[in-house]
Amino acid sequence: MKKTRFLSLALTGTLCVSLLAGCGGSGDGGGAAQTPDAANTSAVQENTGSAFKLGGTGPLTGDAAIYGLAAQRGAQIAVDEIKEAGGDIQFALKYEDDVNVPETAVNAYNALKEWGMQISLGSVTSQPGVSTSALAFEDRIFTMTPSGSSPDVISGKDNVYQMCFSDPNQGLASAQYITEQGLGEKVFIIWKNDDVYSTGIKEQFVKEAKTLGLEVVGDATFTTDTATDFSVQLTQAQQAGADLVFLPIYYQPASLILSQADAMGYTPTFFGVDGMDGILTMDGFDASLAEGVMLLTPFNADATDEATVNFVTKYQELYGETPNQFAADAYDCVYAYKMALEAAGCTPDMSNEELCDALIATFPTITLTGLTGDGAGITWDASGEVSKSPKGMVIENGAYVGMD
């Protein structure tokens, strides 16, 4: 297995977050509630001079705050870099806390609209994202979500785009990669049936596995209320003879699965998706249990290219932790906006409707070199789906290593 080349799968879509950003979830959460970067539930930084008003909602407090804070922080770093560099395109960034609840996200969106939001980062997680994207469509506010990965976020909305991979495309790519690399002969799936993120990935994975002749020997589900004991699911996988367990879930329940599998002496290959990002820095988790875990992700904080190193260094200096994919996707969103606004010749005195029309025409024509794309860059089609290559990673010695 070569460690110097990333997986290149030409995808039209997004690997991101559904409900819990990374894509979506319904409350797996990020552990203890976290405090937002501002003194209250909204985080805002006003640039001096004329600037585009850029707003977004996300869980800045509560169980899912790990995702919302990462997105807000990644976007803020990009805004600050652009301000420092100077130029005609500047941003005033404001985030409102939606605590990963659709109804709260609607109120947060309305607060941003009252503030004068001209362009939007949508919502960090998918269920709130479905609600706020519907409003943005009606109000003609162009939106690019860093991590709302459910197809319903962009479906039928010409002005709503994604930076993350969609849930179905994660399932498709995972089945293809497992098959092409010969990682397992018998696959068992443990998935969360009250989470659109997990459900969407699992359904597409099963379809593609059948097409490819990849044997799925069974699956087992859990819910938010039962995500504490996976002994039954792991026993089912072991009895089915599974040599690979596919985990289309977030890292919090995955950490318990790895711990409990180790305790029962069950050692299959574990293969995850972008929601696995964050497991190495999870409080209280023995990272050695993740050794050998494989996943597809759009971002590798351990990469050595200059752009990633600079971003990770700034993030660590400011926030004392390593950025996850949500931070990187939000960072890329801001620079994508900068590129598109420049290409369209937009100015901050334009209305949100005028900006919306200009960005709809422009985004399918640009290619962004971002933190979450490979050398081919990041592009979009008119549906709002992103096309970029996910990276195949394996955890070795407590770090993500690119694999062939």
Side-chain angles (χ1 to χ4, degrees):
M1 178 182 295
K2 297 180 181 178
K3 299 178 183 176
T4 56
R5 197 172 70 194
F6 290 136
L7 163 68
S8 178
L9 295 176
L11 287 183
T12 352
T14 49
L15 237 179
C16 43
V17 169
S18 265
L19 263 204
L20 287 184
C23 294
S26 55
D28 290 334
Q34 300 187 38
T35 303
D37 293 343
N40 53 32
T41 55
S42 73
V44 60
Q45 184 255 332
E46 300 279 359
N47 286 292
T48 57
S50 185
F52 294 92
K53 287 192 171 183
L54 173 62
T57 87
L60 304 181
T61 58
D63 287 345
I66 189 172
Y67 305 114
L69 289 174
Q72 186 268 325
R73 291 166 174 174
Q76 189 65 64
I77 288 175
V79 167
D80 291 343
E81 286 180 351
I82 291 168
K83 179 180 180 181
E84 183 177 354
D88 295 333
I89 303 296
Q90 297 292 318
F91 298 98
L93 175 66
K94 182 178 177 110
Y95 258 90
E96 290 284 342
D97 190 5
D98 66 23
V99 296
N100 192 36
V101 175
E103 294 79 9
T104 307
V106 168
N107 294 333
Y109 170 90
N110 286 329
L112 290 168
K113 184 180 174 183
E114 185 176 349
W115 170 65
M117 175 173 62
Q118 296 168 287
I119 50 179
S120 175
L121 291 171
S123 297
V124 170
T125 54
S126 288
Q127 286 183 0
V130 171
S131 297
T132 58
S133 65
L135 296 175
F137 175 70
E138 294 174 2
D139 294 333
R140 306 312 292 160
I141 295 176
F142 192 92
T143 298
M144 174 171 286
T145 171
S147 50
S149 55
S150 170
D152 291 338
V153 172
I154 65 172
S155 179
K157 308 174 187 78
D158 63 343
N159 64 326
V160 182
Y161 279 51
Q162 288 169 320
M163 179 60 75
C164 56
F165 296 107
S166 69
D167 301 338
N169 280 325
Q170 289 205 63
L172 179 77
S174 296
Q176 291 174 346
Y177 190 70
I178 291 168
T179 302
E180 291 169 0
Q181 299 295 319
L183 300 180
E185 296 182 357
K186 294 185 177 182
V187 178
F188 192 90
I189 307 169
I190 300 178
W191 58 291
K192 192 169 184 287
N193 64 15
D194 61 352
D195 178 2
V196 295
Y197 171 67
S198 186
T199 302
I201 297 173
K202 179 260 183 182
E203 289 177 349
Q204 188 60 50
F205 180 90
V206 171
K207 290 179 182 178
E208 186 66 11
K210 184 176 181 179
T211 299
L212 297 172
L214 178 63
E215 184 179 4
V216 176
V217 295
D219 69 274
T221 66
F222 66 96
T223 66
T224 300
D225 294 334
T226 62
T228 56
D229 185 358
F230 295 93
S231 58
V232 172
Q233 294 92 330
L234 288 166
T235 298
Q236 290 175 337
Q238 189 174 39
Q239 291 177 346
D243 57 356
L244 185 145
V245 176
F246 180 52
L247 302 176
I249 57 179
Y250 286 93
Y251 66 85
Q252 295 91 345
S255 69
L256 293 176
I257 290 172
L258 295 176
S259 297
Q260 292 170 13
D262 178 71
M264 61 188 286
Y266 181 37
T267 58
T269 296
F270 287 98
F271 193 100
V273 288
D274 64 348
M276 190 75 75
D277 190 11
I279 196 167
L280 292 179
T281 56
M282 183 177 180
D283 289 341
F285 176 67
D286 180 359
S288 68
L289 297 176
E291 190 74 6
V293 170
M294 301 178 184
L295 68 153
L296 296 184
T297 178
F299 174 67
N300 175 19
D302 293 317
T304 57
D305 62 281
E306 182 178 0
T308 299
V309 170
N310 288 341
F311 173 70
V312 171
T313 300
K314 287 180 182 178
Y315 198 99
Q316 290 175 330
E317 290 174 349
L318 288 168
Y319 306 114
E321 61 186 31
T322 300
N324 59 24
Q325 67 171 49
F326 298 100
D329 273 326
Y331 178 93
D332 280 353
C333 279
V334 175
Y335 273 101
Y337 266 130
K338 180 178 184 293
M339 175 176 283
L341 291 166
E342 287 175 336
C346 295
T347 54
D349 59 351
M350 294 171 66
S351 68
N352 61 276
E353 293 90 348
E354 292 170 326
L355 291 172
C356 186
D357 289 342
L359 292 173
I360 287 172
T362 303
F363 257 102
T365 70
I366 66 172
T367 299
L368 175 72
T369 300
L371 298 177
T372 63
D374 63 6
I378 303 169
T379 61
W380 294 265
D381 63 26
S383 74
E385 289 190 4
V386 70
S387 178
K388 59 185 180 182
S389 295
K391 299 163 184 175
M393 311 298 298
V394 60
I395 296 175
E396 292 185 353
N397 299 317
Y400 296 110
V401 178
M403 60 184 180
D404 194 68

